[in-house]
């Protein structure tokens, strides 16, 4: 295909697509306006978007929030829907390696635990007192 300049002399060549990786991941999609998040299989992933299966109920032009791997609540727009699949474009580019990484779940403090108790870090042996400047030596 050749580049054809428009009347202003600017090339009108199509913008090349970003490299897409074929993946088998799971994403959670939240729609604005409430409702439970839906789970979808991710088939293709790039820095700019993804293709999902089980796209029932998604409408072209809709804005959604996607959680996939270590990426939480990334805004995206539904670009196309066809035969149970959909293409979504991220609002801003992502790092596909973060999408492939396992999600980190932050432990929640126990309801009956005092507020000054640490909930992260080591909890067994002498390790919990290591960063404590007031520990007995």
């Amino acid at each position: 295909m050749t580049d054809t300049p428009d009347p202003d002399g600017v090339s009108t060549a199509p913008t090349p697509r970003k490299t897409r990786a074929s993946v088998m991941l799971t994403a959670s999609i939240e729609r604005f306006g409430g409702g439970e998040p839906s789970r979808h299989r991710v088939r293709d992933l790039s820095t700019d978007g993804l293709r999902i299966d089980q796209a029932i109920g998604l409408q072209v032009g809709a804005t959604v929030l996607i959680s996939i791997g270590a990426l939480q609540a990334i805004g995206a727009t539904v670009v196309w829907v066809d035969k149970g699949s959909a293409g979504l474009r991220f609002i801003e580019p992502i790092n596909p390696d973060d999408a492939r990484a396992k999600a980190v779940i932050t432990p929640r403090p126990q309801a009956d635990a005092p507020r000054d108790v640490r909930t992260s870090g080591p909890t067994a042996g002498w390790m919990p007192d290591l960063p404590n400047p007031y520990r007995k030596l």
Side-chain angles (χ1 to χ4, degrees):
M1 180 154 79
T2 61
D3 294 348
T4 56
D6 67 6
D8 297 329
V10 178
S11 174
T12 58
T15 305
R17 281 181 116 160
K18 300 289 183 180
T19 303
R20 293 179 290 165
S22 180
V23 296
M24 290 295 280
L25 299 170
T26 302
S28 175
I29 295 182
E30 295 180 60
R31 294 174 178 95
F32 289 98
E36 289 293 315
S38 55
R39 296 185 59 84
H40 303 269
R41 177 167 293 159
V42 179
R43 294 293 183 159
D44 293 330
L45 178 67
S46 74
T47 57
D48 291 336
L50 51 76
R51 176 174 61 112
I52 61 168
D53 287 343
Q54 302 131 345
I56 298 169
L58 290 177
Q59 301 292 321
V60 173
T63 301
V64 298
L65 292 175
I66 299 175
S67 296
I68 177 173
L71 299 174
Q72 299 297 314
I74 303 299
T77 302
V78 179
V79 179
W80 59 267
V81 178
D82 185 39
K83 298 177 186 168
S85 293
L88 290 85
R89 181 179 302 130
F90 299 124
I91 301 298
E92 57 188 46
I94 63 147
N95 181 349
D97 291 335
D98 290 341
R100 290 183 189 103
K102 293 198 182 254
V104 178
I105 300 173
T106 307
R108 293 185 179 173
Q110 297 176 355
D112 58 344
R115 290 183 184 256
D116 61 339
V117 173
R118 289 188 314 241
T119 58
S120 63
T123 59
W126 56 271
M127 293 295 289
D129 292 328
L130 188 63
N132 184 346
Y134 302 106
R135 73 178 195 270
K136 293 180 183 178
L137 296 175

